[in-house]
Short mmCIF file of all heavy atoms in Angstrom, two decimals:
data_model
loop_
_atom_site.label_atom_id
_atom_site.label_comp_id
_atom_site.label_asym_id
_atom_site.label_seq_id
_atom_site.Cartn_x
_atom_site.Cartn_y
_atom_site.Cartn_z
N VAL A 34 173.05 -72.29 -59.09
CA VAL A 34 173.98 -73.40 -59.26
C VAL A 34 175.34 -72.86 -59.63
O VAL A 34 175.42 -72.09 -60.62
CB VAL A 34 173.52 -74.42 -60.21
CG1 VAL A 34 174.45 -75.52 -60.53
CG2 VAL A 34 172.16 -75.02 -59.89
N ARG A 35 176.43 -73.15 -58.95
CA ARG A 35 177.66 -72.79 -59.31
C ARG A 35 178.54 -73.91 -60.02
O ARG A 35 178.09 -75.11 -59.94
CB ARG A 35 178.54 -72.48 -58.00
CG ARG A 35 177.87 -71.21 -57.27
CD ARG A 35 178.74 -70.82 -56.10
NE ARG A 35 178.88 -71.95 -55.03
CZ ARG A 35 177.90 -72.21 -54.19
NH1 ARG A 35 176.84 -71.42 -54.08
NH2 ARG A 35 178.13 -73.17 -53.31
N ASN A 36 179.46 -73.61 -60.73
CA ASN A 36 180.43 -74.49 -61.33
C ASN A 36 179.80 -75.27 -62.50
O ASN A 36 180.20 -76.50 -62.69
CB ASN A 36 181.09 -75.42 -60.37
CG ASN A 36 181.82 -74.64 -59.16
OD1 ASN A 36 182.51 -73.63 -59.46
ND2 ASN A 36 181.56 -75.02 -58.03
N MET A 37 178.82 -74.72 -63.19
CA MET A 37 178.21 -75.48 -64.26
C MET A 37 179.23 -75.79 -65.36
O MET A 37 180.03 -74.80 -65.70
CB MET A 37 177.01 -74.73 -64.89
CG MET A 37 175.80 -74.70 -63.86
SD MET A 37 174.42 -73.94 -64.64
CE MET A 37 174.95 -72.25 -65.13
N ARG A 38 179.32 -76.99 -65.85
CA ARG A 38 180.34 -77.27 -66.87
C ARG A 38 179.82 -77.78 -68.16
O ARG A 38 180.46 -77.63 -69.24
CB ARG A 38 181.31 -78.35 -66.32
CG ARG A 38 181.96 -77.92 -65.02
CD ARG A 38 183.10 -76.92 -65.38
NE ARG A 38 183.79 -76.58 -64.15
CZ ARG A 38 183.85 -75.37 -63.62
NH1 ARG A 38 183.18 -74.34 -64.10
NH2 ARG A 38 184.53 -75.21 -62.41
N TRP A 39 178.55 -78.43 -68.24
CA TRP A 39 178.13 -78.97 -69.41
C TRP A 39 176.60 -79.10 -69.56
O TRP A 39 175.95 -79.07 -68.43
CB TRP A 39 178.79 -80.41 -69.92
CG TRP A 39 178.62 -81.36 -68.70
CD1 TRP A 39 179.59 -81.65 -67.74
CD2 TRP A 39 177.51 -82.25 -68.49
NE1 TRP A 39 179.08 -82.65 -67.01
CE2 TRP A 39 177.86 -82.96 -67.33
CE3 TRP A 39 176.30 -82.42 -69.04
CZ2 TRP A 39 176.91 -83.98 -66.78
CZ3 TRP A 39 175.44 -83.42 -68.51
CH2 TRP A 39 175.67 -84.15 -67.51
N PHE A 40 175.89 -79.24 -70.57
CA PHE A 40 174.55 -79.57 -70.65
C PHE A 40 174.34 -80.67 -71.69
O PHE A 40 175.24 -80.82 -72.64
CB PHE A 40 173.66 -78.37 -71.02
CG PHE A 40 173.81 -77.89 -72.27
CD1 PHE A 40 172.78 -78.39 -73.29
CD2 PHE A 40 174.76 -76.91 -72.77
CE1 PHE A 40 172.90 -77.87 -74.63
CE2 PHE A 40 174.72 -76.48 -74.07
CZ PHE A 40 173.79 -76.93 -75.02
N GLU A 41 173.33 -81.46 -71.64
CA GLU A 41 172.89 -82.45 -72.58
C GLU A 41 171.46 -82.34 -72.75
O GLU A 41 170.68 -82.27 -71.92
CB GLU A 41 173.32 -83.81 -71.91
CG GLU A 41 172.75 -84.95 -72.77
CD GLU A 41 172.94 -86.35 -71.98
OE1 GLU A 41 173.87 -86.33 -71.05
OE2 GLU A 41 172.31 -87.37 -72.39
N VAL A 42 171.00 -82.14 -74.05
CA VAL A 42 169.61 -82.26 -74.34
C VAL A 42 169.17 -83.72 -74.31
O VAL A 42 169.61 -84.46 -75.09
CB VAL A 42 169.32 -81.62 -75.76
CG1 VAL A 42 167.93 -81.82 -76.19
CG2 VAL A 42 169.83 -80.11 -75.81
N SER A 43 168.19 -83.87 -73.45
CA SER A 43 167.53 -85.30 -73.37
C SER A 43 166.24 -85.47 -73.85
O SER A 43 165.81 -86.59 -74.25
CB SER A 43 167.55 -85.75 -71.84
OG SER A 43 166.86 -84.78 -71.02
N GLU A 44 165.57 -84.30 -74.02
CA GLU A 44 164.20 -84.45 -74.77
C GLU A 44 163.93 -83.15 -75.41
O GLU A 44 164.35 -82.13 -75.01
CB GLU A 44 163.11 -84.59 -73.65
CG GLU A 44 163.10 -85.96 -73.04
CD GLU A 44 161.97 -86.15 -71.87
OE1 GLU A 44 160.87 -85.48 -72.14
OE2 GLU A 44 162.18 -86.95 -71.02
N LEU A 45 163.13 -83.29 -76.45
CA LEU A 45 162.72 -82.03 -77.23
C LEU A 45 161.28 -82.26 -77.69
O LEU A 45 160.90 -83.32 -78.27
CB LEU A 45 163.61 -82.03 -78.57
CG LEU A 45 163.27 -80.89 -79.58
CD1 LEU A 45 163.31 -79.48 -78.93
CD2 LEU A 45 164.19 -80.97 -80.69
#
Side-chain angles (χ1 to χ4, degrees):
V34 176
R35 294 182 301 277
N36 304 317
M37 292 188 298
R38 301 289 184 242
W39 56 265
F40 76 91
E41 171 187 346
V42 174
S43 58
E44 294 181 25
L45 176 60

